Amino acid sequence: MTEAWKQAFARVPELLAAHVQISVSALVLAMLICLPLAIWASRAPKVATFTLAIASLIQTIPGLALLALFYPLLLGLSALIGGGISAFGFLPALLALTLYALLPILRNAVTGLAGVDPAVAEAAPTIMAGIRTAAVWTIGAATLSTTVGQPSLGDLIFAGLQTQNWTLVLTGCLFSALLAISVDLLLGLIEMGIRKRRKILVW
């Protein structure tokens, strides 16, 4: 292994941990928002239409634009309450990634809860599929959190692009992809377990 690869790999553990932290935090927050909302929306078609339209609209906003949008909003909010809110770092990244994770979770949860009898556990795999999609999207989009000062594997990618150090770029992309694939496989196993358990219960 060359010195360049050694230096790049040396930065991975810290940035990977930060990447996982921001991704998991955003995913959990999105789930806390979506699941109660989906229960309400599954019983009220107008609520479902409205919430899914808003979530779809958010999804059309480019990631960098969404991150940039939170800078003036958080800056204004901080000034309004007399300070204490940072427009850089963890908070804007968390808010932007949470918004991006809403659509797949909400859409699948509404579909799952509205499409089956509440007593049937088949809704769980449908919801799980949405969480799985949201997780992969969130991990990928989390690389952009570097632009607002939140450490992530994107640090390697952006640093590499700025300095034309393709070893850094490849390392950031590689570990970001491996993380997304690993999480997707793990959640896929959970989804499969839910489906198999459902079949056993039916039998």
Side-chain angles (χ1 to χ4, degrees):
M1 184 182 292
T2 64
E3 189 61 32
W5 283 105
K6 286 180 181 178
Q7 290 178 0
F9 278 22
R11 298 182 60 187
V12 168
E14 181 182 355
L15 295 176
L16 181 61
H19 200 106
V20 170
Q21 181 188 30
I22 188 65
S23 298
V24 170
S25 298
L27 191 61
V28 169
L29 183 56
M31 288 167 58
L32 291 175
I33 293 170
C34 285
L35 297 181
L37 191 58
I39 293 171
W40 181 27
S42 67
R43 299 170 183 170
K46 289 184 179 179
V47 174
T49 301
F50 177 75
T51 54
L52 286 171
I54 295 297
S56 298
L57 180 62
I58 291 169
Q59 203 69 41
T60 65
I61 303 172
L64 286 173
L66 191 61
L67 283 162
L69 181 65
F70 278 107
Y71 177 76
L73 291 177
L74 292 174
L75 211 59
L77 182 60
S78 184
L80 190 65
I81 65 172
I85 297 178
S86 175
F88 285 104
F90 186 83
L91 183 58
L94 174 67
L95 296 175
L97 291 173
T98 298
L99 289 179
Y100 259 132
L102 293 179
L103 179 61
I105 298 175
L106 185 61
R107 182 174 55 202
N108 280 47
V110 169
T111 301
L113 293 172
V116 297
D117 188 282
V120 179
E122 189 59 34
T126 306
I127 295 169
M128 194 66 212
I131 293 171
R132 187 177 171 185
T133 302
V136 173
W137 284 7
T138 301
I139 290 169
T143 56
L144 297 175
S145 65
T146 296
T147 60
V148 291
Q150 169 59 31
S152 71
L153 292 168
D155 288 24
L156 295 170
I157 298 170
F158 281 95
L161 290 172
Q162 289 173 351
T163 61
Q164 295 189 356
N165 183 337
W166 307 118
T167 301
L168 290 177
V169 174
L170 289 172
T171 302
C173 291
L174 173 65
F175 279 93
S176 181
L178 286 174
L179 178 60
I181 291 169
S182 299
V183 170
D184 184 54
L185 289 174
L186 176 62
L187 295 178
L189 288 174
I190 296 172
E191 184 183 347
M192 187 185 301
I194 294 171
R195 289 186 187 280
K196 286 186 175 179
R197 186 180 177 194
R198 169 63 186 151
K199 288 178 181 177
I200 290 169
L201 288 174
V202 170
W203 182 254

Coordinates of all heavy atoms in Angstrom, one line a residue, residues 90-143:
F90 N -23.5 20.1 12.8 CA -24.4 19.0 12.9 C -25.9 19.4 12.6 O -26.6 18.6 11.9 CB -24.3 18.4 14.3 CG -25.1 17.2 14.6 CD1 -24.6 15.9 14.2 CD2 -26.3 17.2 15.2 CE1 -25.3 14.8 14.4 CE2 -27.1 16.1 15.4 CZ -26.6 14.8 15.0
L91 N -26.4 20.5 13.2 CA -27.8 20.8 13.1 C -28.3 21.0 11.7 O -29.3 20.4 11.3 CB -28.1 22.0 14.0 CG -29.6 22.4 14.1 CD1 -30.4 21.3 14.6 CD2 -29.8 23.7 14.9
P92 N -27.7 21.9 10.9 CA -28.2 22.0 9.5 C -28.1 20.7 8.7 O -29.0 20.4 7.9 CB -27.4 23.1 8.9 CG -26.1 23.1 9.7 CD -26.6 22.8 11.1
A93 N -27.1 19.9 8.9 CA -26.9 18.6 8.3 C -28.0 17.7 8.7 O -28.6 17.0 7.9 CB -25.6 18.0 8.5
L94 N -28.3 17.6 10.0 CA -29.4 16.8 10.5 C -30.7 17.1 9.9 O -31.5 16.2 9.5 CB -29.4 16.9 12.1 CG -30.6 16.2 12.8 CD1 -30.4 14.7 12.6 CD2 -30.6 16.6 14.2
L95 N -31.1 18.4 9.9 CA -32.4 18.9 9.4 C -32.5 18.5 7.9 O -33.6 18.0 7.5 CB -32.5 20.4 9.7 CG -32.6 20.8 11.1 CD1 -32.6 22.3 11.3 CD2 -33.8 20.1 11.8
A96 N -31.5 18.8 7.1 CA -31.6 18.6 5.7 C -31.7 17.1 5.4 O -32.5 16.7 4.6 CB -30.3 19.1 5.0
L97 N -30.9 16.3 6.0 CA -30.9 14.8 5.8 C -32.2 14.2 6.3 O -32.8 13.3 5.7 CB -29.7 14.1 6.5 CG -28.4 14.4 5.9 CD1 -27.3 13.8 6.8 CD2 -28.3 13.9 4.5
T98 N -32.8 14.7 7.4 CA -34.1 14.3 7.9 C -35.2 14.5 6.8 O -36.0 13.6 6.5 CB -34.4 14.9 9.2 OG1 -33.5 14.6 10.2 CG2 -35.8 14.5 9.7
L99 N -35.2 15.7 6.3 CA -36.2 16.1 5.2 C -36.1 15.1 4.0 O -37.1 14.7 3.5 CB -36.0 17.5 4.8 CG -36.4 18.6 5.9 CD1 -36.2 20.0 5.3 CD2 -37.9 18.4 6.3
Y100 N -34.8 14.8 3.7 CA -34.6 13.9 2.5 C -35.1 12.5 2.8 O -35.5 11.8 1.9 CB -33.1 13.9 2.1 CG -32.8 14.7 1.0 CD1 -31.7 15.6 1.0 CD2 -33.5 14.7 -0.2 CE1 -31.4 16.4 -0.1 CE2 -33.2 15.5 -1.3 CZ -32.2 16.4 -1.2 OH -31.9 17.1 -2.3
A101 N -35.1 12.1 4.0 CA -35.5 10.7 4.4 C -37.0 10.6 4.5 O -37.5 9.4 4.6 CB -34.8 10.3 5.7
L102 N -37.7 11.7 4.5 CA -39.1 11.6 4.8 C -39.9 10.8 3.7 O -40.8 10.0 4.1 CB -39.7 13.0 4.9 CG -39.3 13.9 6.1 CD1 -40.0 15.2 6.0 CD2 -39.6 13.2 7.4
L103 N -39.7 11.1 2.5 CA -40.5 10.6 1.4 C -40.6 9.1 1.4 O -41.7 8.5 1.4 CB -40.1 11.1 0.0 CG -40.9 10.6 -1.2 CD1 -42.4 11.0 -1.0 CD2 -40.3 11.2 -2.5
P104 N -39.5 8.3 1.3 CA -39.6 6.9 1.2 C -40.3 6.2 2.4 O -41.0 5.3 2.3 CB -38.2 6.4 1.0 CG -37.3 7.5 1.5 CD -38.1 8.7 1.2
I105 N -39.9 6.8 3.6 CA -40.5 6.2 4.8 C -42.0 6.5 4.8 O -42.8 5.6 5.1 CB -39.8 6.8 6.1 CG1 -38.4 6.4 6.1 CG2 -40.5 6.2 7.3 CD1 -37.6 7.0 7.3
L106 N -42.4 7.7 4.6 CA -43.8 8.1 4.7 C -44.6 7.4 3.6 O -45.7 6.9 3.9 CB -43.9 9.7 4.5 CG -45.3 10.3 4.6 CD1 -45.8 10.0 6.0 CD2 -45.3 11.8 4.4
R107 N -44.1 7.4 2.4 CA -44.8 6.8 1.3 C -45.1 5.3 1.5 O -46.2 4.8 1.4 CB -44.1 6.9 0.0 CG -44.8 6.4 -1.3 CD -44.0 6.7 -2.5 NE -42.6 6.3 -2.4 CZ -41.6 6.8 -3.1 NH1 -41.8 7.8 -4.0 NH2 -40.4 6.3 -3.0
N108 N -44.1 4.6 2.0 CA -44.2 3.1 2.2 C -45.1 2.9 3.4 O -45.8 1.9 3.5 CB -42.9 2.5 2.4 CG -42.2 2.2 1.0 OD1 -42.2 3.0 0.2 ND2 -41.7 1.0 0.8
A109 N -44.9 3.7 4.5 CA -45.7 3.5 5.7 C -47.2 3.8 5.4 O -48.1 3.0 5.8 CB -45.2 4.5 6.8
V110 N -47.5 4.8 4.6 CA -48.9 5.1 4.3 C -49.5 3.9 3.4 O -50.6 3.5 3.7 CB -49.0 6.4 3.5 CG1 -50.4 6.6 2.9 CG2 -48.7 7.6 4.4
T111 N -48.7 3.5 2.5 CA -49.1 2.4 1.6 C -49.3 1.1 2.4 O -50.4 0.4 2.3 CB -48.1 2.1 0.5 OG1 -47.9 3.3 -0.3 CG2 -48.5 0.9 -0.4
G112 N -48.4 0.8 3.3 CA -48.5 -0.4 4.1 C -49.7 -0.4 5.1 O -50.4 -1.4 5.2
L113 N -49.9 0.8 5.7 CA -51.0 0.8 6.7 C -52.4 1.0 6.0 O -53.3 0.5 6.6 CB -50.7 2.0 7.6 CG -49.5 1.9 8.5 CD1 -49.3 3.2 9.3 CD2 -49.7 0.8 9.5
A114 N -52.4 1.6 4.9 CA -53.7 1.7 4.2 C -54.1 0.5 3.4 O -55.2 0.2 3.2 CB -53.7 2.9 3.3
G115 N -53.1 -0.3 2.9 CA -53.3 -1.4 2.0 C -53.7 -2.7 2.7 O -54.1 -3.6 2.0
V116 N -53.5 -2.8 4.0 CA -53.8 -4.1 4.7 C -54.6 -3.8 5.9 O -54.6 -2.7 6.5 CB -52.5 -4.8 5.0 CG1 -51.7 -5.2 3.8 CG2 -51.6 -4.0 6.0
D117 N -55.2 -4.9 6.4 CA -55.8 -4.8 7.7 C -54.8 -4.5 8.8 O -53.7 -5.1 8.8 CB -56.5 -6.2 8.0 CG -57.4 -6.1 9.2 OD1 -56.8 -6.2 10.3 OD2 -58.6 -6.0 9.0
P118 N -55.2 -3.6 9.7 CA -54.2 -3.3 10.8 C -53.7 -4.5 11.6 O -52.6 -4.4 12.1 CB -55.0 -2.3 11.7 CG -56.1 -1.8 10.8 CD -56.4 -2.9 9.8
A119 N -54.4 -5.5 11.6 CA -54.0 -6.7 12.4 C -53.0 -7.5 11.6 O -52.4 -8.4 12.2 CB -55.2 -7.6 12.8
V120 N -52.8 -7.3 10.3 CA -51.9 -8.1 9.5 C -50.5 -7.5 9.5 O -50.3 -6.3 9.3 CB -52.4 -8.2 8.0 CG1 -51.5 -9.0 7.2 CG2 -53.8 -8.8 8.0
A121 N -49.5 -8.3 9.8 CA -48.2 -7.9 9.9 C -47.5 -7.6 8.6 O -46.3 -7.2 8.6 CB -47.3 -8.9 10.7
E122 N -48.2 -7.8 7.5 CA -47.6 -7.5 6.2 C -47.2 -6.0 6.0 O -46.4 -5.7 5.2 CB -48.6 -7.9 5.1 CG -48.0 -7.9 3.7 CD -46.8 -8.8 3.5 OE1 -46.7 -9.9 4.2 OE2 -45.9 -8.5 2.8
A123 N -47.9 -5.2 6.8 CA -47.5 -3.7 6.7 C -46.1 -3.5 7.2 O -45.4 -2.6 6.6 CB -48.5 -2.9 7.6
A124 N -45.6 -4.3 8.1 CA -44.2 -4.1 8.6 C -43.1 -4.2 7.5 O -42.3 -3.4 7.4 CB -44.0 -5.1 9.7
P125 N -43.2 -5.3 6.6 CA -42.2 -5.3 5.5 C -42.2 -4.1 4.6 O -41.2 -3.6 4.1 CB -42.5 -6.6 4.8 CG -43.2 -7.5 5.8 CD -44.0 -6.5 6.6
T126 N -43.5 -3.6 4.3 CA -43.6 -2.5 3.5 C -43.0 -1.2 4.1 O -42.3 -0.5 3.4 CB -45.1 -2.2 3.2 OG1 -45.7 -3.4 2.7 CG2 -45.3 -1.1 2.2
I127 N -43.2 -1.0 5.4 CA -42.6 0.1 6.1 C -41.1 -0.1 6.1 O -40.4 0.9 5.9 CB -43.2 0.2 7.5 CG1 -44.7 0.6 7.4 CG2 -42.5 1.3 8.3 CD1 -45.5 0.4 8.7
M128 N -40.7 -1.3 6.4 CA -39.2 -1.6 6.5 C -38.6 -1.3 5.1 O -37.4 -0.8 5.1 CB -39.0 -3.1 6.9 CG -37.6 -3.4 7.3 SD -37.2 -2.5 8.8 CE -35.5 -2.3 8.6
A129 N -39.2 -1.6 4.0 CA -38.7 -1.3 2.7 C -38.4 0.2 2.5 O -37.4 0.6 1.9 CB -39.6 -1.8 1.6
G130 N -39.4 1.0 3.0 CA -39.2 2.5 3.0 C -38.0 2.9 3.8 O -37.3 3.8 3.4
I131 N -37.9 2.4 5.0 CA -36.8 2.7 5.9 C -35.5 2.3 5.2 O -34.5 3.1 5.3 CB -36.9 2.0 7.2 CG1 -38.2 2.6 8.0 CG2 -35.7 2.2 8.1 CD1 -38.5 1.9 9.2
R132 N -35.5 1.2 4.6 CA -34.3 0.7 3.9 C -33.8 1.7 2.8 O -32.7 2.0 2.7 CB -34.6 -0.7 3.3 CG -33.4 -1.4 2.7 CD -33.9 -2.8 2.2 NE -32.9 -3.5 1.5 CZ -33.1 -4.6 0.9 NH1 -34.3 -5.2 1.0 NH2 -32.1 -5.2 0.2
T133 N -34.8 2.1 2.0 CA -34.5 3.1 0.9 C -34.0 4.4 1.5 O -33.0 5.0 1.0 CB -35.8 3.3 0.1 OG1 -36.2 2.1 -0.5 CG2 -35.5 4.3 -1.1
A134 N -34.7 4.9 2.5 CA -34.3 6.1 3.2 C -32.9 6.1 3.7 O -32.1 7.0 3.7 CB -35.3 6.5 4.3
A135 N -32.5 4.9 4.3 CA -31.2 4.7 4.9 C -30.1 4.9 3.8 O -29.1 5.6 4.0 CB -31.1 3.4 5.6
V136 N -30.3 4.2 2.7 CA -29.3 4.3 1.6 C -29.2 5.7 1.1 O -28.1 6.3 0.8 CB -29.7 3.3 0.5 CG1 -28.8 3.5 -0.7 CG2 -29.6 1.9 1.0
W137 N -30.4 6.4 0.9 CA -30.4 7.8 0.4 C -29.7 8.7 1.4 O -28.9 9.6 1.0 CB -31.8 8.3 0.2 CG -32.5 7.8 -1.0 CD1 -32.1 6.8 -1.8 CD2 -33.8 8.2 -1.4 NE1 -33.0 6.6 -2.8 CE2 -34.1 7.4 -2.6 CE3 -34.7 9.1 -1.0 CZ2 -35.3 7.5 -3.3 CZ3 -35.9 9.2 -1.7 CH2 -36.2 8.5 -2.9
T138 N -29.9 8.5 2.7 CA -29.4 9.4 3.7 C -27.9 9.2 3.8 O -27.1 10.2 3.9 CB -30.0 9.0 5.1 OG1 -31.4 9.2 5.0 CG2 -29.4 9.9 6.2
I139 N -27.4 8.0 3.7 CA -25.9 7.7 3.8 C -25.2 8.4 2.6 O -24.2 9.0 2.7 CB -25.6 6.2 3.8 CG1 -26.1 5.6 5.2 CG2 -24.2 5.9 3.6 CD1 -26.1 4.1 5.2
G140 N -25.9 8.3 1.4 CA -25.3 8.9 0.2 C -25.3 10.4 0.4 O -24.3 11.1 0.1
A141 N -26.4 11.0 0.8 CA -26.5 12.4 0.9 C -25.7 13.0 2.0 O -25.3 14.2 2.0 CB -28.0 12.8 1.1
A142 N -25.4 12.2 3.0 CA -24.6 12.7 4.2 C -23.2 13.1 3.8 O -22.6 13.9 4.5 CB -24.5 11.6 5.2
T143 N -22.7 12.7 2.6 CA -21.4 13.2 2.1 C -21.4 14.7 1.9 O -20.4 15.3 2.0 CB -20.9 12.4 0.8 OG1 -21.9 12.6 -0.2 CG2 -20.7 11.0 1.1

